[in-house]
Amino acid sequence: NWICVAPQGGAELLFQVISDFYKRRSLTVTSNLEFSQWNTVFCDNRLMAALIDGLIHHLHILIFSGERY
């Protein structure tokens, strides 16, 4: 069983922000979760797939490893 962390409508709001920025402005997104785990926060698999697809279209991924403080 998954526990949704984001409030109702949170996924839609994030999708709208990313859609508004798409190809018009720069956007920085940070997360301690891999993309495959985002649906555990937002609990909407289709919307998360669309959101991640929009993010990674022109994406530069920086992965930092090591201890976190």
Side-chain angles (χ1 to χ4, degrees), residues 13-67:
L13 180 60
L14 182 58
F15 182 81
Q16 186 61 49
V17 168
I18 290 171
S19 295
D20 289 348
F21 275 69
Y22 186 71
K23 291 188 177 181
R24 291 190 271 169
R25 292 189 169 90
S26 296
L27 179 65
T28 301
V29 177
T30 63
S31 176
N32 61 346
L33 296 176
E34 297 176 6
F35 288 133
S36 63
Q37 297 174 328
W38 279 25
N39 61 348
T40 63
V41 175
F42 295 103
C43 294
D44 187 330
N45 290 338
R46 290 185 333 149
L47 191 56
M48 282 298 97
L51 189 147
I52 291 168
D53 186 53
L55 276 176
I56 65 174
H57 187 243
H58 294 288
L59 179 70
H60 297 280
I61 297 178
L62 303 174
I63 300 174
F64 298 95
S65 60
E67 292 186 50

